[in-house]
Amino acid sequence: MIKYLFLFALLMVGLAACSEEAVPENPLVSTWMLNEVLYDPGDLSGTWEKPDFEKSITFFEDFTFSSQGSLCEPRRPDDLTQGNYSIENL
């Protein structure tokens, strides 16, 4: 009986070692809204405040993104920003 328990345990360990790793889900896929902006005069004394403009960025499953308005100049809503992103270092 102990022999069969040992073989069963060995079989379970072997099967567990052969299982495939699950591919992590992309945690960014969604539309994200900007809710705070760091207003800093350049001396690191800035404060986080609610922005007086709306900004969103949408991350897609095909590793592309789009944003209404410029990412570098958030007060310019007329520019559409699009591009690719990577989650390798998340």
Side-chain angles (χ1 to χ4, degrees):
M1 179 69 173
I2 293 176
K3 179 179 174 182
Y4 292 113
L5 284 175
F6 177 75
L7 288 175
F8 179 75
L10 186 60
L11 178 65
M12 291 294 109
V13 170
L15 289 175
C18 294
S19 65
E20 290 185 28
E21 286 187 33
V23 176
E25 187 176 314
N26 185 340
L28 293 178
V29 173
S30 186
T31 297
W32 298 74
M33 300 297 296
L34 179 67
N35 59 19
E36 287 187 323
V37 176
L38 178 63
Y39 291 105
D40 185 47
D43 62 359
L44 303 177
S45 67
T47 58
W48 290 96
E49 299 178 16
K50 184 172 176 61
D52 58 355
F53 55 91
E54 288 190 14
K55 180 67 139 173
S56 68
I57 184 169
T58 302
F59 294 95
F60 302 100
E61 289 185 17
D62 65 352
F63 298 100
T64 60
F65 71 89
S66 68
S67 173
Q68 102 291 359
S70 171
L71 293 175
C72 297
E73 296 180 40
R75 293 182 187 275
R76 291 183 50 194
D78 54 338
D79 296 337
L80 177 64
T81 302
Q82 297 178 319
N84 299 315
Y85 69 96
S86 172
I87 62 169
E88 290 179 11
N89 296 323
L90 288 181

